[in-house]
Amino acid sequence: MEIINQTAVLDFLLLGLTDDPKLQPFILVLFLSIYLVTVLGNLLIILAVISDSHLHTPMYFFLSILSFNDICVSSTTIPKMLVNIHTQDQSITYAGCLAQVCFVMIFTLLENFLLAVMAYDHYVAICHPLRYTVIMHPRLCVLLVWGSVFISTADALLHSLMVLRLPFCTHLHIPHFFCEFAQIIKLPCSETFIDNILIMVSVSVCGGVPLSGIISSYIHIVSSILRMSSSGGKHKAFSTCCAHLCVVSLFYGTGIGVYISSAVTNSPQKMAVASVMYVVVPQMLNPFIYSLRNQDMKVAVKNLASRRIASLW
């Protein structure tokens, strides 16, 4: 195959979830609905946190950042897919594909770190309640968020630069609905051994460290809850962590599911469908989980909705 210089004008082809033209209208409507629900649901969480002074705490500050990040993840992948289906054009430019790779990695890694930061916040609230306001002061909260953003961006830019230096051949078909780094790295005509080593190191550090932090935090949290003598205190502590545990289970559960499916199947389209569970579904369900499992958030959302309805009348 002919090697193409990356400075030349070239397009990748996103093959999507299926090549059956009869299913394209259904996929278009389905993903448009998912995208609208994701954006509106997460936007509702952000507005509820901003409008309710009772929610101006570190826990809900991190939740609003997580909701904003979920909107960004979905906006990086779904709109391009919808445009491609609507125009019946599967192409995406080299620059557009590289940008999509970079932003998907930034926001996915950031979600990983934010979940770890939220676990630490719950740990301090339950295990050190008397020192909570001293430890989780606003400056530390902002530093934790900006530190997560910096690490996520640095790691994503490193991998994007790796892609930038690779020579590509004329076969530029991506069996996915967005430019996923794992698929892009299979297309170059040169050896990618070093790139694969860097990927393993990155996954181990940027994935393993936050997950270890989450597990460690909840080990201490469970230990503290079991030592509580009051059943009411146990119930309150469990309610505080329940929504976050559901989100963590959904995020890592779908991620592990995609990894396992990649190991047992050789079908690229099945892999693309499995990735939907990782890149699309958690971002849509997170607002419902926090709205239904968190009493304070439920009240804030109801108050916000009632105020908006009253303003219309």
Side-chain angles (χ1 to χ4, degrees), residues 161-219:
L161 291 174
M162 287 164 48
V163 175
L164 190 63
R165 69 175 183 79
L166 295 174
F168 290 92
C169 302
T170 54
H171 182 72
L172 299 174
H173 297 78
I174 302 174
H176 219 305
F177 66 94
F178 69 97
C179 289
E180 186 184 41
F181 181 77
Q183 298 295 331
I184 297 293
I185 206 69
K186 297 177 182 178
L187 299 180
C189 299
S190 62
E191 177 60 46
T192 58
F193 176 76
I194 297 178
D195 304 87
N196 291 323
I197 293 296
L198 287 175
I199 293 172
M200 294 176 60
V201 173
S202 174
V203 170
S204 300
V205 175
C206 295
V209 172
L211 181 58
S212 299
I214 293 173
I215 294 173
S216 176
S217 295
Y218 275 103
I219 289 174

Side-chain angles (χ1 to χ4, degrees), residues 62-303:
F62 295 135
L63 175 58
S64 61
I65 299 297
L66 180 68
S67 296
F68 177 75
N69 186 73
D70 285 341
I71 293 175
C72 293
V73 173
S74 298
S75 299
T76 305
T77 56
I78 297 180
K80 178 58 180 175
M81 174 190 182
L82 298 177
V83 170
N84 284 3
I85 294 176
H86 178 68
T87 60
Q88 297 183 352
D89 181 9
Q90 297 177 312
S91 65
I92 180 172
T93 64
Y94 176 80
C97 189
L98 191 62
Q100 198 173 59
V101 167
C102 183
F103 283 113
V104 167
M105 292 190 67
I106 288 174
F107 297 127
T108 304
L109 289 171
L110 181 56
E111 181 138 354
N112 191 36
F113 283 108
L114 286 175
L115 291 175
V117 168
M118 294 173 75
Y120 175 72
D121 175 71
H122 290 321
Y123 158 74
V124 176
I126 294 173
C127 299
H128 304 283
L130 299 179
R131 300 177 56 202
Y132 179 76
T133 56
V134 177
I135 297 175
M136 299 303 297
H137 54 82
R139 183 179 179 183
L140 176 64
C141 296
V142 173
L143 286 175
L144 288 173
V145 171
W146 278 114
S148 300
V149 171
F150 175 78
I151 296 173
S152 303
T153 303
D155 186 74
L157 287 176
L158 173 63
H159 287 86
S160 300
L161 291 174
M162 287 164 48
V163 175
L164 190 63
R165 69 175 183 79
L166 295 174
F168 290 92
C169 302
T170 54
H171 182 72
L172 299 174
H173 297 78
I174 302 174
H176 219 305
F177 66 94
F178 69 97
C179 289
E180 186 184 41
F181 181 77
Q183 298 295 331
I184 297 293
I185 206 69
K186 297 177 182 178
L187 299 180
C189 299
S190 62
E191 177 60 46
T192 58
F193 176 76
I194 297 178
D195 304 87
N196 291 323
I197 293 296
L198 287 175
I199 293 172
M200 294 176 60
V201 173
S202 174
V203 170
S204 300
V205 175
C206 295
V209 172
L211 181 58
S212 299
I214 293 173
I215 294 173
S216 176
S217 295
Y218 275 103
I219 289 174
H220 287 87
I221 288 172
V222 171
S223 177
S224 295
I225 292 176
L226 293 177
R227 289 197 301 266
M228 293 179 181
S229 57
S230 170
S231 59
K234 290 181 179 180
H235 177 73
K236 183 178 180 180
F238 178 76
S239 300
T240 302
C241 301
C242 187
H244 182 257
L245 275 174
C246 292
V247 171
V248 169
S249 301
L250 181 64
F251 180 78
Y252 285 101
T254 53
I256 293 172
V258 171
Y259 178 79
I260 293 175
S261 65
S262 66
V264 300
T265 181
N266 292 322
S267 173
Q269 287 188 336
K270 289 182 179 179
M271 273 295 301
V273 173
S275 294
V276 172
M277 297 299 297
Y278 179 63
V279 180
V280 176
V281 174
Q283 289 71 29
M284 179 185 67
L285 294 182
N286 285 354
F288 295 99
I289 293 173
Y290 274 103
S291 298
L292 296 176
R293 301 297 305 181
N294 188 296
Q295 188 62 34
D296 292 337
M297 181 56 64
K298 190 186 300 184
V299 172
V301 170
K302 287 182 179 179
N303 291 338

